Amino acid sequence: MLSLVSLLQLEKATQTPVFVQLSNQLGQLIRAGTLKPGQRLPGTRQLAQGLELNRQTVVAAYDEGLAQGWLESRSGSGTYVAAHFPDVVPQPLETDSLPTNEPPSRVDVPGFAFETIDFLLRPLLTNSSGLHLDDGFPDIRLAPMDELSRAYRSYFRWGNPQQHFGYATTKGHPLLREQLSQHLNETRGLRTTPENILITRGSIMGLHLVCQTLLRPGDTVVTGDTTWAGAVMNIRKAGATIQTIPVDQHGMDMDVLADICQKQPIRLVFVTPHHHYPTTVTLRADRRIRLLQLAEQYGFVVLEDDYDYDFHYLSRPILPLASADRKGMVVYVGSLTKSVAPAFRIGYVVAPTTLIDELARLRRIIDRQGDPMLEFAIGQLFKTGELKRHFRKALRTYQARRDCFCDLLTQELGDTVQFTKPDGGLAVWSRFDPKVDMQSLALRAAQNGLFFSNGLSHNPPEQQLYGTRFGFASSTEAELERSIAILKRLL
């Protein structure tokens, strides 16, 4: 009994009850093989005396062990280690392996093999607390938080509690799908009903569902030679092969795409036609028509990611490809993340109803449903017009910030940075003099309180673009001035 007492280390000044500590440590000793199957444990009075505990504490610990299946009670005989455990060869007891009440050390490497996928390694973009020229995030200070809070509260007064606090449809809240269908039809020239819409947790989830549903290993997908890494990762994870085509000041080169189509089957073309990512150029009208014609002729899917349609500063935005699609060749993916705030994970997929049904079936085994309360609240903001008012206000604010930022780039960094003033979006594609070490510049800027991407993730294979996206929307004019001042000093 003395040896067992010496193996138990109990701390009375912790939040974990002593009987739980005792039960856990007995379980550890059984798993380690120190206490063998069928071994008799000391009586509760004897062990309590040895540990200087109240007997009821030991009784509670034994009861816990019985409930967990580590121990068994034999009438008139006492308490034993359960006999059904396999024999475990005891390991030499070392000081650092004794049961303790310290938080367990984390396990970094599993005891089994698995494959690490290199192309999933990608820097995580977050909103920094200091000055930042980010990838093109919205300013969360402009988000309609009070209106959203009121809409959230109204959810608790709406309808049948059994209905709206239980399981919901995998396609998204009916109110949001209805309001979003109307919004897309009015602003983007689409022809949808709510049955054409699947609500997702951001556009990245929509892209994942589409790629997993439509792509098979060996399929060929065409993207621009510069494109969004998130889409590339999903395409490659589905097993498809990527073939790139040039992107110039008018968008993706459709003549090159036509040549590829004549030589091999194409399953899907991924495109961001409104503001190409990362360069922000707009796909020219004749190339849009050509892309749809090629899709109909060769039967490939056009996956259109319209990530920042709501922010276009020259007259009306150019309508998406999906608005001119008459044959059901376009799958349209969008998001409210850039329109409101990244924390509100609301994206959507627009497609023919049979594809939406299949996407919803796949979504069910990944994420049973979205966030009904958030979806309802956003739907309410559409219904009351609050969200449209927010879009108009944000558009004016972001346009003023774009103009201010582009003036600053020209006046302060004109000898070092080349750019084209974007017609829309929340970022400026900026190309630096090749003599500038972008990685070093971004690191030194961070040390001075300014955060931006070094742009390496935008480089095509074996190419150096010396460019990065400078997001201007999430900073005030004063913050933009301070950011450029830091850059100028470092350059």
Side-chain angles (χ1 to χ4, degrees):
M1 202 275 289
L2 181 61
S3 61
L4 177 58
V5 170
S6 67
L7 295 176
L8 299 170
Q9 301 178 13
L10 305 175
E11 297 287 342
K12 298 181 180 180
T14 67
Q15 293 184 348
T16 305
V18 174
F19 84 92
V20 175
Q21 298 178 40
L22 179 54
S23 175
N24 289 343
Q25 292 185 27
L26 289 173
Q28 292 178 38
L29 293 171
I30 294 170
R31 288 192 295 271
T34 306
L35 296 177
K36 298 212 174 274
Q39 181 176 339
R40 187 179 187 278
L41 296 183
T44 55
R45 183 174 285 103
Q46 183 184 13
L47 185 58
Q49 186 176 12
L51 294 173
E52 299 182 351
L53 298 175
N54 186 291
R55 178 171 173 249
Q56 291 304 315
T57 301
V58 179
V59 170
Y62 278 11
D63 287 344
E64 181 70 15
L66 292 169
Q68 296 290 337
W70 296 110
L71 306 179
E72 61 186 23
S73 178
R74 299 179 187 176
S75 179
S77 178
T79 303
Y80 293 78
V81 177
H84 60 264
F85 290 113
D87 287 332
V88 179
V89 178
Q91 300 298 316
L93 281 174
E94 300 176 2
T95 303
D96 59 359
S97 66
L98 293 174
T100 69
N101 296 308
E102 296 296 321
S105 59
R106 73 181 191 189
V107 177
D108 291 323
V109 180
F112 50 84
F114 71 100
E115 180 184 4
T116 299
I117 302 175
D118 292 340
F119 63 78
L120 295 182
L121 298 174
R122 177 180 169 222
L124 186 65
L125 297 177
T126 59
N127 284 82
S128 60
S129 57
L131 295 173
H132 49 267
L133 299 173
D134 50 45
D135 191 59
F137 297 160
D139 191 341
I140 58 176
R141 294 169 290 191
L142 301 180
M145 296 299 186
D146 291 339
E147 294 81 358
L148 186 62
S149 177
R150 287 195 295 270
Y152 254 110
R153 289 196 297 271
S154 70
Y155 183 81
F156 295 92
R157 302 188 299 269
W158 166 79
N160 181 350
Q162 292 290 340
Q163 181 180 5
H164 65 252
F165 285 106
Y167 283 117
T169 172
T170 54
K171 294 182 180 179
H173 197 285
L175 176 63
L176 179 55
R177 291 168 64 212
E178 176 189 346
Q179 293 299 317
L180 191 56
S181 174
Q182 293 180 15
H183 176 71
L184 296 176
N185 294 346
E186 292 170 1
T187 62
R188 289 155 170 78
L190 303 188
R191 297 172 303 283
T192 69
T193 71
E195 295 306 310
N196 293 113
I197 296 175
L198 173 71
I199 305 299
T200 61
R201 294 185 188 268
S203 59
I204 189 71
M205 182 182 189
L207 288 171
H208 177 77
L209 294 173
V210 171
C211 289
Q212 291 297 317
T213 300
L214 298 182
L215 298 179
R216 295 294 176 266
D219 285 345
T220 298
V221 174
V222 174
T223 73
D225 54 7
T226 56
T227 193
W228 184 40
V232 170
M233 291 159 66
N234 274 290
I235 292 166
R236 294 184 63 184
K237 190 68 177 67
T241 300
I242 294 178
Q243 189 157 343
T244 63
I245 60 177
V247 177
D248 58 25
Q249 68 271 27
H250 303 300
M252 291 172 62
D253 191 329
M254 292 301 128
D255 290 335
V256 176
L257 177 61
D259 291 340
I260 295 174
C261 289
Q262 292 174 2
K263 298 174 183 176
Q264 66 182 98
I266 300 298
R267 175 55 174 164
L268 184 146
V269 173
F270 174 76
V271 62
T272 51
H274 199 223
H275 304 126
H276 176 73
Y277 188 96
T279 66
T280 75
V281 299
T282 300
L283 187 63
R284 200 170 59 190
D286 61 309
R287 296 189 181 186
R288 290 167 174 259
I289 296 172
R290 185 84 183 280
L291 176 56
L292 291 174
Q293 290 174 340
L294 290 171
E296 293 178 16
Q297 180 179 354
Y298 293 101
F300 59 75
V301 182
V302 177
L303 180 50
E304 179 177 15
D305 181 3
D306 210 359
Y307 63 96
D308 60 1
Y309 180 90
D310 291 305
F311 302 115
H312 194 78
Y313 310 118
L314 291 181
S315 64
R316 290 192 62 200
I318 297 174
L319 294 178
L321 293 167
S323 68
D325 178 28
R326 297 294 183 269
K327 302 293 185 180
M329 308 306 296
V330 178
V331 178
Y332 183 76
V333 176
S335 170
L336 297 178
T337 294
K338 295 292 180 65
S339 304
V340 183
F344 301 133
R345 304 305 301 161
I346 297 289
Y348 52 87
V349 180
V350 180
T353 56
T354 54
L355 178 57
I356 292 296
D357 291 342
E358 184 65 18
L359 294 173
R361 286 188 282 268
L362 176 59
R363 186 249 177 85
R364 183 178 180 181
I365 66 172
I366 302 170
D367 180 23
R368 170 60 178 78
Q369 63 193 52
D371 183 341
M373 285 184 280
L374 175 60
E375 293 172 11
F376 171 85
I378 297 294
Q380 280 287 84
L381 294 190
F382 269 119
K383 187 175 182 178
T384 61
E386 292 289 352
L387 208 52
K388 295 178 182 179
R389 283 189 283 275
H390 166 69
F391 291 157
R392 291 193 294 269
K393 175 185 175 182
L395 181 66
R396 293 191 298 269
T397 301
Y398 294 156
Q399 182 171 1
R401 292 178 180 180
R402 178 205 62 167
D403 295 343
C404 170
F405 185 64
C406 289
D407 288 345
L408 288 168
L409 282 177
T410 300
Q411 296 165 10
E412 306 297 334
L413 302 177
D415 295 336
T416 309
V417 178
Q418 295 181 339
F419 71 97
T420 299
K421 190 175 185 178
D423 295 337
L426 306 180
V428 174
W429 175 244
S430 307
R431 301 280 295 270
F432 281 74
D433 187 303
K435 295 191 292 293
V436 175
D437 184 333
M438 294 292 296
Q439 196 166 7
S440 173
L441 177 63
L443 180 61
R444 289 185 290 125
Q447 293 168 346
N448 284 267
L450 172 63
F451 298 87
F452 62 87
S453 167
N454 59 28
L456 298 182
S457 63
H458 302 311
N459 290 335
E462 301 180 2
Q463 290 188 47
Q464 289 287 334
L465 299 181
Y466 302 101
T468 192
R469 283 170 61 89
F470 280 153
F472 55 81
S474 59
S475 302
T476 65
E477 281 89 341
E479 290 166 343
L480 292 172
E481 290 177 3
R482 298 199 330 255
S483 299
I484 293 299
I486 292 173
L487 265 179
K488 182 178 180 180
R489 185 170 71 252
L490 294 176
L491 287 169

